[in-house]
Amino acid sequence: MRIAFAQGLLVRPGFSIVALAVALTAFACGGDGPGPGPSTDSPASGGSGVGGNATASGGGAPTGSGGISTGSGGNPPTGSGASVGSGGDPGSGGMLGADEEYPFPANAADETGADLWLRFPTLPIPLRLAEYQAAFTHVVSEGASPTLDIAETELVEGLSGLTGQTVAAAAAPTGAGAVVIGTLASSPIVAGLPFASELPALGPEGYRVSTADIGGQSTVVVAANSDVGVLYGSYALLRHLQSHSSLADLSLTSSPKIKMRLLNHWDNLDRSVERGYAGQSLWNWGALPGTISPRYVEYARANASIGINGTVLTNVNADADVLTASYLAKVKALADVFRPYGIKVYLTARFSAPQEIGGLSTYQPSDPGVQQWWADKADEIYGLIPDFGGFLVKANSEGQPGPQDHVDGANMLAQALEPHGGIVMWRAFVYAENSPQDRIKQAYDEFQPTDGDYEANAMIQVKNGPLDFQPREPFHPLFGAMPETPLVLELQVTKEYLGQDTHLAYLGSMWQEILEADTYASGAGSTVARVVDGTVHGYEHTAIAGVANIGEDVNWTGSQFNQANWYAFGRMAWDPDISAEAVAEEWVRQTLSNDPLVVGPVTELMMASHQTLVDYMTPLGLVHIMGTDHHYGPAPWVNDQSRAEWNPFYYHKADTQGIGFDRTAAGSNAVDQYAAEVTQLYGTRASTPDALLLFFHRVGWGETLASGRSLWEELVHRYSLGVDGVGVMRDAWASVEDRVDGARFADVAEFLQIQHYEARWWRDACLTYFASVGGQTVPSGYAAPANNLSFYQGLSCPPDVKKPRCSQINSGEPSPAITP
Ligand code: GCV
């Protein structure tokens, strides 16, 4: 139990210090399930987590994001002499952090966030600084290539910044303090290392960073099999140093577990971004290819620093024009910028392009002319971009054109790309316009029977859950169900349904839940991570994709904390087994501060943030109750859309008796799409974790849950916990004031305030609605909703994206929602 960061908290009026201390104590210790009553529970209690690994059937040990403590022993309130290490980075080795006392930063200069996590301020702790100053005096790159030049420059600049002294490039190691970088082929020093024979096993992108005796001097060496491996190793070394970690026993060895680690931009050619909340698209098509924005380089650099090696430039709701000669020249210009950073470009292929821009009378794959058109198009693209990655396709979905048969379409494109080594990624996000079938069953029904019918260079891209990037969903049943067809896991970094730019929700913990979920495809332990990395089915091609949250905004992602999701996507794509908490801590150290009084509370608030958001938006397995189209605020009452599955009502079906979607054998039987163990787990009311209860089951308002509360009481409780959880996040953030720069502090504080109001909006709107249809009232011990149902139904705040979107609900004190 740690309450270290309660020191110096700013306490808002109306929120008692006693309640705050209780909240913070519970927030920091975590792990306990919900207590018996409102007053003993913590906003961040672990009770709502999904048993990440379904091996834990019977409900499993919740691995929810709430209340996970950070660090190995906590920080004394003075902040002196303690480190907040979380056990280090499995891919990099070693504990993060230093044991020295961090000085209170005097007037930290304001920052915009434009530097992301690539910040190299001089260490403020003298012992570690002296260690680094002695260890790093010059950088020797053995070999010459654009990629090695980048690695050398990154090290020269990063080490100069961190040490506060000039670290220069040199032709050869001279005396103490050399960093030598190179590959087995390019560097005699690397080839002569005692561990040189172990390097080939690290593969084309792996690296080893360690200390070696070179000419009698202890020297840091960054060794790899390829230039890009050296670049990744250089970033790993910088990450280690940005975390102020010790050089003793330095050993950072890592190889990616997934081969293709891709961003998917939903960027349109007019520079609008579908589900983008960070300004216009980075790609300035009008100015390309003549003008290369410096931001293209910064983008490539940021991605390479976290291991991303591919980018799909355009929206899956595709525009055929990007395949015309004039656009391909622009794409080539971007590819040329990204190549030295190890990043390939991919494009979305509009399936009707042969007709739209090729002048053919059809686009169906059975037509030889269509096949030839795509083959010629592939030749044209590879003539310009020899390392072009391939196509991503959304077909026959949400109005996008497609073939009569997915297999024919995917295979035609695969055949066109095959001579050049390209890949086609065919999306499984399909649901029919007029089908009585449960929407979440349709992708499986359509794709699973096609397993094994695809060309070797075709992959099927599957969203993490069967619905659509909800705050929480079970894993998609196609994972584990297509042994002969490599699947790409598609995650959404942009938070379409999770408060977009404004709400702070760290997605690493949500992704960890998905990656750890057990498909049982080949017995226990067949997790989604092991399916995607190819271990379970022996896939030759492996890939993971993240729908990007990046735009022209100066801070890149629309908010300071949304940067952490870009960062986490890259780090978890490289190593799907890395803990979300370790990644959060790394990010905080690099982006904000290494001061334990920042690292501890901010890592904890990040780890609690996803569960907190789920609680105030969609607790207990509710999904898709957001406002129509914009998906921002609450609108569970909507039931007038032309397609049934576009209505929130479709997903919860609340009435006088109860709430929830019955997906058991007695209902839509969606549970049957999973392996038997999972069908049993989710098909049985008693073993379904509360976190997914209403996704799989219809439950009466009065039924008792594991907490001892009735379903209705638990709903009220969860919504209230969520609101108060945001209050705790605000207080945690307030505790770091003056320990991070004022500009970023204020940005985050302002958004957290909006989030707090909006959490209360979510709670009150949903509870008044469910109370009205269910004939329920809010029990004592919980704040009454601030307004009546018609007030919430009458609001029309979004899609105006200026902040706050909904000033009508920005008043009063959102907390406490659980009243003392
Ligand atoms: C690109 C959801 C989003 C759409 C998106 C679609 C998809 O429906 O709301 O904006 O379209 O998913 O993933 O294709």
Side-chain angles (χ1 to χ4, degrees):
M1 179 177 78
R2 293 178 295 121
I3 54 170
F5 63 88
Q7 293 290 316
L9 288 173
L10 299 182
V11 181
R12 294 184 316 283
F15 196 50
S16 88
I17 188 70
V18 175
L20 178 60
V22 169
L24 285 171
T25 303
F27 181 66
C29 54
D32 292 330
S39 59
T40 58
D41 216 339
S42 83
S45 70
S48 266
V50 184
N53 188 335
T55 329
S57 61
T63 57
S65 336
I68 297 174
S69 69
T70 304
S72 53
N75 341 306
T78 58
S80 63
S83 69
V84 183
S86 67
D89 166 3
S92 304
M95 294 285 289
L96 302 180
D99 287 337
E100 289 173 74
E101 181 171 355
Y102 278 77
F104 195 81
N107 300 323
D110 281 345
E111 296 187 39
T112 60
D115 292 337
L116 296 164
W117 46 89
L118 294 166
R119 299 163 62 262
F120 304 98
T122 303
L123 272 68
I125 45 174
L127 295 178
R128 189 68 88 222
L129 177 64
E131 183 188 1
Y132 287 6
Q133 285 175 334
F136 304 114
T137 58
H138 55 296
V139 178
V140 178
S141 173
E142 287 210 317
S145 74
T147 303
L148 287 177
D149 289 351
I150 292 167
E152 182 186 68
T153 304
E154 290 287 11
L155 287 170
V156 162
E157 292 180 359
L159 295 174
S160 297
L162 290 165
T163 60
Q165 64 188 14
T166 303
V167 176
T174 46
V179 183
V180 175
I181 66 173
T183 67
L184 269 180
S186 74
S187 166
I189 291 178
V190 168
L193 289 169
F195 55 79
S197 63
E198 296 165 30
L199 288 174
L202 295 174
E205 295 179 300
Y207 58 80
R208 176 158 172 175
V209 180
S210 57
T211 312
D213 187 315
I214 312 282
Q217 297 285 351
S218 174
T219 304
V220 173
V221 180
V222 179
N225 299 307
S226 69
D227 294 349
V228 79
V230 173
L231 183 62
Y232 290 145
S234 302
Y235 285 123
L237 173 60
L238 288 169
R239 186 157 59 233
H240 187 76
L241 307 177
Q242 285 172 287
S243 300
H244 297 181
S245 307
S246 168
L247 294 175
D249 304 322
L250 178 69
S251 177
L252 313 174
T253 303
S254 193
S255 304
K257 292 181 180 151
I258 297 174
K259 289 180 190 158
M260 288 179 271
R261 306 173 297 279
L262 314 177
L263 283 180
N264 285 187
H265 286 266
W266 285 357
D267 292 19
N268 300 312
L269 300 186
D270 65 2
R271 298 193 75 189
S272 61
V273 180
E274 180 148 355
R275 311 304 178 185
Y277 314 103
Q280 285 200 299
S281 168
L282 278 183
W283 323 132
N284 190 344
W285 296 109
L288 281 163
T291 305
I292 300 297
S293 158
R295 279 207 126 187
Y296 303 153
V297 177
E298 292 302 312
Y299 165 88
R301 181 176 173 240
N303 281 322
S305 76
I306 51 177
I308 288 171
N309 66 359
T311 180
V312 184
L313 298 173
T314 44
N315 191 357
V316 289
N317 292 334
D319 188 330
D321 281 351
V322 78
L323 299 175
T324 59
S326 74
Y327 272 96
L328 290 176
K330 301 167 193 280
V331 173
K332 171 189 160 37
L334 290 173
D336 289 345
V337 174
F338 301 159
R339 186 171 298 109
Y341 291 88
I343 296 168
K344 289 184 179 182
V345 299
Y346 298 68
L347 291 173
T348 47
R350 185 162 170 86
F351 205 74
S352 51
Q355 195 174 50
E356 286 186 43
I357 59 169
L360 303 188
S361 59
T362 177
Y363 54 83
Q364 286 306 323
S366 53
D367 185 281
V370 172
Q371 295 164 15
Q372 190 60 47
W373 189 89
W374 282 109
D376 292 345
K377 187 52 70 181
D379 289 348
E380 181 186 351
I381 294 173
Y382 280 92
L384 293 166
I385 308 166
D387 57 352
F388 179 69
F391 292 135
L392 170 64
V393 187
K394 172 175 175 177
N396 294 343
S397 169
E398 296 185 333
Q400 294 299 300
Q404 271 139 16
D405 184 295
H406 289 296
V407 175
D408 292 344
N411 284 349
M412 175 185 62
L413 294 178
Q415 283 157 11
L417 294 165
E418 194 279 333
H420 309 282
I423 297 283
V424 62
M425 288 163 288
W426 193 268
R427 293 176 90 229
F429 181 67
V430 295
Y431 55 102
E433 203 162 326
N434 283 311
S435 170
Q437 180 61 282
D438 180 358
R439 170 176 164 179
I440 72 150
K441 291 182 68 176
Q442 296 180 29
Y444 179 99
D445 286 349
E446 216 163 302
F447 280 90
Q448 198 285 329
T450 68
D451 185 33
D453 294 346
Y454 297 93
E455 297 286 345
N457 60 329
M459 306 181 79
I460 303 299
Q461 182 157 315
V462 182
K463 292 189 181 186
N464 59 273
L467 183 50
D468 189 13
F469 297 137
Q470 295 304 295
R472 176 171 279 134
E473 288 183 54
F475 72 88
H476 201 299
L478 279 172
F479 292 108
M482 298 196 67
E484 306 298 328
T485 311
L487 301 184
V488 185
L489 169 60
E490 181 178 308
L491 302 169
Q492 195 186 46
V493 189
T494 192
K495 305 196 323 289
E496 173 181 351
Y497 294 94
L498 291 93
Q500 302 176 2
D501 54 342
T502 314
H503 292 208
L504 194 166
Y506 171 58
L507 300 181
S509 26
M510 179 171 88
W511 297 334
Q512 186 174 332
E513 275 179 18
I514 294 294
L515 290 163
E516 289 179 347
D518 201 336
T519 71
Y520 284 91
S522 183
S526 308
T527 60
V528 171
R530 295 290 79 80
V531 171
V532 174
D533 75 11
T535 312
V536 172
H537 304 305
Y539 295 155
E540 183 196 340
H541 299 296
T542 57
I544 184 167
V547 179
N549 62 352
I550 301 161
E552 274 267 287
D553 277 5
V554 68
N555 67 25
W556 297 88
T557 55
S559 81
Q560 303 296 340
F561 272 85
N562 276 353
Q563 295 180 359
N565 293 326
W566 178 8
Y567 182 88
F569 172 72
R571 298 286 289 134
M572 295 174 90
W574 179 278
D575 181 3
D577 298 319
I578 196 172
S579 89
E581 185 179 9
V583 172
E585 182 182 330
E586 281 179 14
W587 179 82
V588 173
R589 288 179 176 279
Q590 293 167 74
T591 310
L592 296 172
S593 169
N594 278 279
D595 182 343
L597 291 181
V598 175
V599 177
V602 177
T603 305
E604 288 181 10
L605 91 78
M606 288 170 72
M607 290 304 294
S609 62
H610 171 248
Q611 181 60 49
T612 297
L613 177 138
V614 170
D615 280 339
Y616 68 72
M617 279 191 186
T618 52
L620 298 176
L622 289 172
V623 285
H624 220 306
I625 55 175
M626 295 76 187
T628 305
D629 294 334
H630 52 71
H631 297 159
Y632 191 74
W637 47 79
V638 170
N639 198 18
D640 60 0
Q641 299 296 297
S642 58
R643 287 173 64 164
E645 74 284 355
W646 284 351
N647 290 295
F649 179 80
Y650 174 91
Y651 297 98
H652 62 71
K653 303 185 195 312
D655 64 13
T656 54
Q657 303 301 306
I659 181 171
F661 198 127
D662 184 355
R663 295 192 160 104
T664 68
S668 79
N669 207 19
V671 291
D672 198 43
Q673 294 182 332
Y674 291 101
E677 292 86 342
V678 184
T679 305
Q680 171 72 20
L681 175 72
Y682 293 146
T684 310
R685 161 84 165 74
S687 59
T688 306
D690 281 355
L692 292 173
L693 186 61
L694 304 178
F695 191 89
F696 287 112
H697 298 273
R698 182 153 184 81
V699 183
W701 294 113
E703 285 187 46
T704 305
L705 303 195
S707 62
R709 300 182 193 98
S710 70
L711 173 70
W712 167 248
E713 289 165 349
E714 187 67 27
L715 205 61
V716 174
H717 187 65
R718 283 279 149 202
Y719 270 112
S720 306
L721 274 181
V723 175
D724 290 347
V726 181
V728 174
M729 287 163 59
R730 287 181 64 195
D731 293 325
W733 184 249
S735 78
V736 306
E737 184 166 19
D738 297 329
R739 292 182 185 274
V740 299
D741 65 284
R744 288 188 300 168
F745 177 82
D747 276 1
V748 175
E750 186 193 340
F751 275 13
L752 282 170
Q753 160 117 55
I754 295 171
Q755 184 174 0
H756 204 181
Y757 284 130
E758 294 188 346
R760 185 66 190 252
W761 172 29
W762 266 95
R763 171 196 185 267
D764 290 356
C766 292
L767 290 182
T768 49
Y769 168 70
F770 290 132
S772 94
V773 291
Q776 306 291 325
T777 51
V778 172
S780 65
Y782 299 92
N787 293 286
N788 60 23
L789 179 58
S790 55
F791 170 84
Y792 295 111
Q793 289 178 323
L795 289 176
S796 58
C797 310
D800 182 353
V801 293
K802 69 179 186 310
K803 271 75 70 175
R805 287 171 173 81
C806 206
S807 50
Q808 296 97 310
I809 50 89
N810 285 15
S811 63
E813 279 297 324
S815 283
I818 300 177
T819 51

